[in-house]
Amino acid sequence: MKEKKDILILAIESSCDETAAAVVRNGREVLSNVIFSQIALHTLYGGVVPEIASRKHIEKINYVIQEALDRANVGLKDLDAVGVTYGPGLVGALLVGVAEAKAISYAANLPLVGVHHIEGHISANYIENKDLEPPFICLVVSGGHTHLVVVRDYGKYEVIGRTRDDAAGEAFDKVARAIGLGYPGGPKIDKLSKEGNPDAIHFPRAKVEDAPYDFSFSGVKSAVLNHINGCRMKGETLREADIAASFQKAVCDVLVSHALQAVKDYGIPKLALAGGVASNSALRQAMKDACERERIPLCYPSPALCTDNAAMIGAAAYYEYMNGTRHGLDLNAVPNLQLGER
Ligand code: KG4
Ligand code: ZN
């Protein structure tokens, strides 16, 4: 099962609304990846309710961890370390995973490795792209973050662009709510867009002055809301599929152009996508087309590894572990943890 030189990591993720645990071998091989999704619960309220998320994590986490160990056919004694997301995220939700990881680390005498959630998303790319190595440029597009990152080396990140307001996923969720699709909106907009015309309505593509890699999505979101209100006031029927497809195209255009600009400017001809929005089919296609045109190698995780999961935390924890990162039992949840911060 385990070669002597193998490093087995139990990884735990509870930063938002997924309770997840995984066992990962040598950073790239997923032996198990268990996720309890709370989405159905939060859908009732139209978004994640932090208090409910924390309570549900407490209820499910032991079961999810046991399941991850069982499916990987390993016990605590086989492990080399415990990796856990300690930020950014919802503080109460993060605390559940961190407390659990500390308890296991103490009880089983295992090194504890705290992981940045975004580092996890980026590292999801290592799992299915066995040859991927830094340096590369990574576009991280999730519900909470939109970052352009230069991955200099394992565990070495330079954030060169970020959103000034809404994250890309947040904009998807808000627009979905406005057209009555419910939560979480991203996958629903993705699906509905397939029936719409992406050129039906022109929504703005925002540029941030003097910051070529920064993003702003509040303008496109407001433009969609204004369009909806305008239609309602004029008594016109809403063409939801056209709105969804046109909004999606506006967001994808900006994501593609910024990412390609970074690849060219930094002279690092390798691009990766990460985060929940990286599972968007239009974004994947647009990025693929652009990268093929420019002959830039592109990779992205399969959809299940784009949205929150613990396998990606196991991949990140492995490289942190190999770099010598160890946390003490005083590790705390850091809701606004910055990438690269220790
Ligand atoms: O990475 P993630 O699971 O959680 C965070 O770290 O935030 O991302 C969740 C976000 C949500 O906003 C969700 O609507 C969006 O990713 N998302 C998508 C798609 N699947 C998930 N957005 C657009 N298209 C999708 N197919
Ligand atoms: Zn995430």
Side-chain angles (χ1 to χ4, degrees), residues 92-315:
L94 286 164
L95 271 170
V96 177
V98 169
E100 185 79 21
K102 290 200 287 193
I104 294 174
S105 158
Y106 179 67
N109 197 20
L110 288 167
L112 178 67
V113 181
V115 171
H116 190 290
H117 183 73
I118 298 299
E119 178 174 22
H121 275 302
I122 295 170
S123 305
N125 281 287
Y126 298 134
I127 294 169
E128 292 159 314
N129 302 283
K130 305 289 184 206
D131 298 331
L132 178 66
E133 282 182 8
F136 59 91
I137 304 284
C138 190
L139 172 71
V140 185
V141 270
S142 74
H145 302 87
T146 304
H147 280 4
L148 252 177
V149 181
V150 181
V151 182
R152 296 273 180 208
D153 202 344
Y154 294 110
K156 297 215 165 40
Y157 307 98
E158 191 183 328
V159 180
I160 57 168
R162 60 181 77 232
T163 182
R164 295 293 180 101
D165 37 59
D166 291 350
E170 200 178 345
F172 269 92
D173 293 337
K174 287 178 179 167
V175 165
R177 188 186 299 188
I179 51 181
L181 297 177
Y183 174 85
K188 293 181 175 158
I189 294 229
D190 193 349
K191 189 160 174 243
L192 182 62
S193 294
K194 294 188 175 30
E195 297 158 28
N197 173 7
D199 299 311
I201 310 149
H202 184 82
F203 291 125
R205 276 83 169 146
K207 277 200 181 341
V208 179
E209 214 169 319
D210 298 329
Y213 313 119
D214 277 1
F215 304 93
S216 167
F217 296 111
S218 65
V220 60
K221 179 195 67 189
S222 303
V224 173
L225 300 182
N226 287 342
H227 174 85
I228 294 172
N229 287 339
C231 287
R232 288 199 176 123
M233 277 162 68
K234 286 185 253 166
E236 292 172 3
T237 45
L238 275 189
R239 302 197 317 272
E240 285 95 347
D242 284 349
I243 298 173
S246 302
F247 159 76
Q248 184 173 264
K249 187 171 181 200
V251 172
C252 290
D253 278 358
V254 174
L255 294 175
V256 170
S257 69
H258 280 41
L260 266 76
Q261 193 62 47
V263 166
K264 284 181 200 159
D265 293 351
Y266 279 78
I268 300 175
K270 220 191 282 180
L271 180 64
L273 310 182
V277 184
S279 61
N280 181 269
S281 57
L283 177 62
R284 290 159 94 99
Q285 192 58 50
M287 205 64 92
K288 217 167 133 192
D289 292 346
C291 286
E292 267 169 24
R293 259 196 320 274
E294 306 283 337
R295 297 177 194 279
I296 298 163
L298 169 72
C299 65
Y300 39 71
S302 52
L305 292 174
C306 284
T307 44
D308 289 350
N309 65 85
M312 68 184 197
I313 303 304

Side-chain angles (χ1 to χ4, degrees), residues 44-56:
L44 290 171
Y45 305 95
V48 178
V49 183
E51 181 64 22
I52 295 178
S54 319
R55 284 167 189 269
K56 212 63 195 172

Side-chain angles (χ1 to χ4, degrees), residues 13-20 35-39 57 307-308:
E13 155 64 41
S14 70
S15 65
C16 190
D17 59 348
E18 323 278 1
T19 319
I35 303 178
F36 172 78
S37 173
Q38 306 180 359
I39 284 179
H57 284 313
T307 44
D308 289 350

